[in-house]
């Protein structure tokens, strides 16, 4: 049920490709203008790769859907030029509280330290994020969005893909060197290739209600086990912009999905939770969980990303966050392959890295779902024992699982050069590098991730020897100043230390002291070049 829809609508426009006597060819076609497809297309376009983005609809914004965006996702959105409007409108939060009945079991802080540009999380309706991304896409010369262009057929070739596109004016064909399938959980492209998910489908049903009201609840994540207003089940409360609140209520496996969305069923539930009826319903849906993924994300020249490749339960905010991190992982690799800087085999590392990330997310999501909605008497006894202990024992609080919140993945793959030295600090090989407040030599404040941008980068701490050479080298103390020591502590930096950062800002290699030859080997390894030396 939708009691109100906030929509951004876009008109269909005929394109020149529809008048070609033979299929026009493009380096990359992205299918699906959700957050994952838009981020992929924007990232590619910012790297100078021409890209066409197809979507079968002409609008965005039906229901708030995804709302929680994590720090790493915000850092990616910042690099893509859309973080500012999201931060301006979004609800920033970092604190969470877990209750049993009406007693607080514990609270947690997702970002207890200073020195980061981005907050731990923001809550923002998905239609606002998509609108910001569409506006950014319109600014880029290498990116064209085609609304009401529906892919109806797909033919794979050794050197690319041919798509048949349905429009209000008939069909036409397009050729692409690469196709990115970001067309969601019910991916048409996945069906065209006859691909199936593997994993689990959970029977428990949950009600989502977006409620507009004036409330005194703080901007925190509140989760209840067996709350007094919803006996024997769980509940979740989040604040969104525009005085809208997200409420999740566990219904059980036998709930009637159609009946539970009727206002005469929803309104009494919400009234009982809030203790008043001074609210209106914005959007209501009933869902079940799926923790599943494709066996492989890369099928020739067709690459799957986001919900088209993997699905998780919403507890932990892993859906959109992991999908946008798919986009970040894929875009630089496609750009390197298309630009001739890396072999096609580099795309196989997208499958390796993001499949492992999907397994990690599915594992966390499955464990959260099993704890929140136990499927056996044994699981229920374990859950209840943990909750009882958590009232008194600190170790048990860590076992309470109301949804392990999204964290970026660390890539333990062949693209990283193994450490030869011992390191402390928060920078980890294969993980996104931690941000730090820096200054330019002229005294202007700048964040480390802003300085890194989207390029392969060397960061060097001088020790009296000439700094390494390369396309993009940042010398600490010369190009950037570390006035508060955040960089030094987080990177365990000492004179002579050098760090190789991937174009997606993950740490690829680091040395206490190194040579030009070692840097070249690490750079080649990062690109999956076959002629490693």
């Amino acid at each position: 049920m939708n009691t109100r829809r906030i929509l951004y609508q876009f008109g269909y426009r005929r394109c020149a490709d529809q008048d070609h006597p033979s299929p026009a060819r493009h380096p990359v076609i992205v299918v699906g203008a959700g957050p994952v497809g838009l981020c992929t297309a924007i990232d590619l376009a910012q790297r100078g790769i021409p890209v066409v983005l197809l979507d079968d609809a002409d609008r965005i914004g039906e229901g708030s859907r995804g709302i929680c965006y994590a720090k790493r996702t915000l850092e990616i959105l910042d690099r893509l030029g859309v973080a500012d409007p999201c931060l301006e409108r979004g609800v920033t939060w970092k604190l969470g509280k877990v209750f049993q009945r009406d007693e607080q079991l514990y609270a947690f802080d997702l970002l207890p330290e200073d020195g980061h540009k981005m907050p731990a999380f923001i809550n923002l309706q998905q239609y606002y994020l998509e609108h910001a991304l569409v506006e950014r896409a319109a600014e880029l010369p290498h990116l064209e969005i085609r609304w009401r262009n529906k892919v109806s057929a797909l033919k794979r070739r050794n050197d690319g893909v041919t798509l048949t596109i349905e429009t209000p004016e008939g069909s036409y064909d397009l050729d692409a060197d690469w196709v990115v399938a970001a067309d969601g959980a019910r991916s048409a492209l996945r069906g065209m290739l006859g691909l199936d998910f593997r994993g689990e489908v959970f029977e428990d049903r949950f009600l989502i209600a977006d409620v507009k009201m004036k409330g005194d609840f703080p901007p925190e994540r509140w989760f209840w086990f067996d709350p007094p207003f919803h006996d024997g089940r769980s509940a979740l409360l989040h604040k969104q912009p525009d005085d809208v609140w997200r409420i999740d209520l566990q219904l059980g496996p036998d709930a009637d999905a159609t009946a539970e969305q009727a206002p005469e069923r929803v309104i009494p539930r919400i009234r009982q939770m809030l203790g008043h009826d001074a609210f209106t319903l914005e959007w209501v849906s009933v869902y079940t969980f799926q923790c599943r993924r494709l066996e492989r994300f890369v099928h020739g020249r067709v690459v799957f990303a986001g919900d088209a490749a993997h699905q998780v339960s919403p507890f932990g905010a892993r859906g959109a966050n992991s999908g946008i991190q798919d986009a970040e992982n894929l875009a630089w690799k496609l750009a390197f392959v298309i630009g001739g800087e890396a072999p096609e085999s580099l795309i196989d590392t997208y499958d390796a890295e993001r499949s492992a990330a999907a397994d990690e997310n599915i594992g966390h999501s499955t464990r959260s779902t099993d704890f929140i909605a136990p499927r056996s008497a044994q699981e229920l006894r374990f859950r209840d024992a943990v909750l009882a202990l958590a009232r008194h024992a600190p170790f048990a609080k860590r076992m309470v699982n109301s949804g392990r919140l999204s964290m970026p993945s660390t890539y333990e793959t062949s693209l990283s050069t193994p450490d030869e030295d011992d390191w402390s600090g928060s920078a980890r090989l294969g993980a996104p590098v931690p941000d730090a407040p820096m200054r330019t030599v002229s005294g202007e404040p700048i964040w480390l991730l802003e300085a890194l941008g989207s390029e392969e980068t060397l960061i060097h701490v001088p020790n009296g020897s000439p700094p390494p050479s390369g396309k993009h080298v940042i010398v600490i103390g010369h190009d950037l100043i570390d006035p508060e020591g955040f960089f030094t502590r987080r990177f365990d930096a000492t004179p002579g230390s050098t760090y190789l950062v991937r174009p997606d800002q993950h740490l690829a290699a680091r040395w206490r002291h190194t040579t030009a030859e070692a840097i070249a080997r690490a750079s080649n390894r990062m690109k999956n070049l076959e002629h490693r030396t």
Side-chain angles (χ1 to χ4, degrees), residues 75-102:
E75 291 169 348
I76 296 168
L77 295 176
D78 196 32
R79 185 173 56 78
L80 300 182
V82 296
D84 285 349
C86 295
L87 290 168
E88 288 168 8
R89 186 179 286 272
V91 174
T92 297
W93 66 277
K94 66 173 185 171
L95 299 177
K97 293 176 181 176
V98 178
F99 303 85
Q100 186 180 25
R101 299 298 293 171
D102 55 2

XYZ file of all heavy atoms in Angstrom, residues 75-102:
225
model
N 31.583 8.140 1.710
C 32.884 8.519 1.136
C 32.899 8.275 -0.368
O 33.456 9.073 -1.133
C 33.987 7.735 1.831
C 34.198 8.163 3.281
C 35.098 7.234 4.073
O 35.404 6.118 3.577
O 35.489 7.599 5.205
N 32.278 7.185 -0.806
C 32.175 6.923 -2.247
C 31.304 7.984 -2.909
O 31.664 8.537 -3.966
C 31.604 5.515 -2.489
C 32.550 4.446 -1.943
C 31.347 5.283 -3.980
C 31.948 3.050 -1.884
N 30.154 8.285 -2.304
C 29.269 9.305 -2.862
C 29.961 10.657 -2.915
O 29.727 11.455 -3.845
C 27.989 9.393 -2.041
C 27.084 8.150 -2.059
C 25.899 8.347 -1.118
C 26.601 7.832 -3.476
N 30.825 10.940 -1.959
C 31.582 12.195 -1.978
C 32.508 12.237 -3.187
O 32.604 13.261 -3.870
C 32.368 12.330 -0.674
C 32.856 13.749 -0.428
O 32.166 14.699 -0.836
O 33.929 13.909 0.172
N 33.178 11.136 -3.454
C 34.057 11.072 -4.627
C 33.260 11.224 -5.923
O 33.774 11.756 -6.916
C 34.820 9.742 -4.609
C 35.860 9.601 -5.705
C 36.694 8.344 -5.517
N 35.880 7.145 -5.455
C 35.351 6.539 -6.516
N 35.526 7.038 -7.733
N 34.638 5.433 -6.373
N 32.015 10.792 -5.917
C 31.169 10.895 -7.105
C 30.444 12.233 -7.203
O 29.715 12.471 -8.161
C 30.143 9.760 -7.118
C 30.709 8.339 -7.144
C 29.578 7.322 -7.193
C 31.665 8.130 -8.313
N 30.617 13.101 -6.194
C 30.065 14.439 -6.267
C 28.642 14.591 -5.773
O 27.980 15.585 -6.110
N 28.149 13.650 -4.945
C 26.755 13.738 -4.500
C 26.603 13.670 -2.983
O 25.473 13.633 -2.487
C 25.881 12.641 -5.151
C 25.814 12.813 -6.648
C 26.396 11.255 -4.809
N 27.683 13.649 -2.235
C 27.551 13.527 -0.779
C 26.932 14.776 -0.161
O 26.131 14.667 0.784
C 28.909 13.240 -0.147
N 27.277 15.953 -0.651
C 26.808 17.187 -0.005
C 25.286 17.270 0.061
O 24.730 17.536 1.141
C 27.399 18.413 -0.699
C 28.863 18.626 -0.347
O 29.351 17.951 0.588
O 29.533 19.437 -1.013
N 24.550 17.092 -1.050
C 23.085 17.170 -0.924
C 22.508 16.077 -0.033
O 21.484 16.293 0.623
C 22.590 17.037 -2.374
C 23.720 16.431 -3.124
C 24.947 16.914 -2.451
N 23.155 14.912 0.007
C 22.686 13.839 0.883
C 22.887 14.199 2.351
O 22.006 13.982 3.195
C 23.406 12.532 0.554
S 23.050 11.879 -1.096
N 24.053 14.768 2.677
C 24.326 15.161 4.057
C 23.433 16.318 4.498
O 23.006 16.389 5.649
C 25.795 15.545 4.205
C 26.804 14.397 4.094
C 28.213 14.946 3.961
C 26.707 13.468 5.288
N 23.156 17.238 3.572
C 22.327 18.391 3.910
C 20.909 17.961 4.280
O 20.292 18.517 5.188
C 22.293 19.381 2.741
C 23.596 20.130 2.539
C 23.636 20.876 1.214
O 22.579 20.925 0.534
O 24.710 21.396 0.852
N 20.379 16.973 3.578
C 19.004 16.548 3.813
C 18.918 15.395 4.801
O 17.925 15.257 5.534
C 18.348 16.148 2.487
C 16.866 15.829 2.619
C 16.251 15.463 1.288
N 16.060 16.604 0.438
C 14.970 17.367 0.440
N 13.997 17.129 1.298
N 14.855 18.384 -0.394
N 19.926 14.543 4.856
C 19.845 13.321 5.642
C 19.900 13.561 7.146
O 20.316 14.617 7.615
N 19.473 12.551 7.886
C 19.541 12.555 9.343
C 20.818 11.823 9.748
O 20.970 10.624 9.486
C 18.312 11.872 9.961
C 18.470 11.742 11.470
C 17.045 12.643 9.614
N 21.748 12.543 10.363
C 23.019 11.959 10.773
C 22.861 11.257 12.118
O 22.231 11.794 13.035
C 24.089 13.056 10.885
O 24.290 13.650 9.589
C 25.408 12.492 11.384
N 23.439 10.053 12.216
C 23.367 9.344 13.499
C 24.559 8.412 13.642
O 25.182 8.021 12.651
C 22.053 8.561 13.625
C 21.897 7.413 12.661
C 21.464 7.476 11.368
C 22.174 6.039 12.924
N 21.454 6.230 10.800
C 21.884 5.320 11.730
C 22.637 5.328 14.031
C 22.037 3.943 11.624
C 22.792 3.946 13.924
C 22.491 3.279 12.732
N 24.862 8.065 14.877
C 25.916 7.101 15.144
C 25.620 6.245 16.367
O 26.346 5.287 16.653
C 27.265 7.788 15.317
C 27.374 8.691 16.544
C 28.798 9.181 16.717
C 28.973 9.982 18.009
N 30.392 10.260 18.278
N 24.569 6.587 17.117
C 24.237 5.866 18.342
C 23.095 4.895 18.099
O 22.143 5.196 17.372
C 23.842 6.846 19.451
C 24.902 7.857 19.880
C 24.327 8.795 20.932
C 26.149 7.161 20.403
N 23.193 3.739 18.732
C 22.130 2.750 18.684
C 21.824 2.236 20.080
O 22.698 2.209 20.952
N 20.567 1.850 20.288
C 20.161 1.295 21.574
C 19.347 0.031 21.330
O 18.540 -0.025 20.393
C 19.333 2.314 22.368
C 20.139 3.532 22.795
C 19.282 4.567 23.499
C 20.128 5.781 23.893
N 19.291 6.851 24.505
N 19.564 -0.956 22.184
C 18.869 -2.234 22.092
C 18.105 -2.453 23.392
O 18.672 -2.309 24.490
C 19.854 -3.390 21.836
C 19.113 -4.718 21.796
C 20.613 -3.162 20.527
N 16.829 -2.788 23.251
C 15.952 -2.966 24.400
C 15.392 -4.385 24.423
O 15.219 -5.014 23.365
C 14.761 -2.000 24.343
C 15.124 -0.550 24.255
C 15.388 0.041 23.026
C 15.205 0.235 25.387
C 15.715 1.384 22.934
C 15.539 1.580 25.311
C 15.792 2.156 24.082
N 15.088 -4.881 25.635
C 14.227 -6.045 25.797
C 13.056 -5.617 26.661
O 13.254 -5.056 27.748
C 14.952 -7.220 26.450
C 14.075 -8.480 26.489
C 14.783 -9.650 27.129
O 15.702 -9.470 27.934
N 14.375 -10.864 26.778
N 11.860 -5.871 26.164
C 10.668 -5.264 26.761
C 10.870 -3.748 26.798
O 11.144 -3.157 25.766
C 10.384 -5.849 28.150
C 10.122 -7.350 28.158
C 8.906 -7.759 27.358
N 7.660 -7.258 27.969
C 6.461 -7.323 27.362
N 6.368 -7.847 26.138
N 5.381 -6.874 27.968
N 10.809 -3.117 27.970
C 11.029 -1.670 28.050
C 12.332 -1.324 28.754
O 12.562 -0.186 29.153
C 9.861 -0.994 28.752
C 9.574 -1.592 30.126
O 10.324 -2.508 30.540
O 8.606 -1.162 30.773
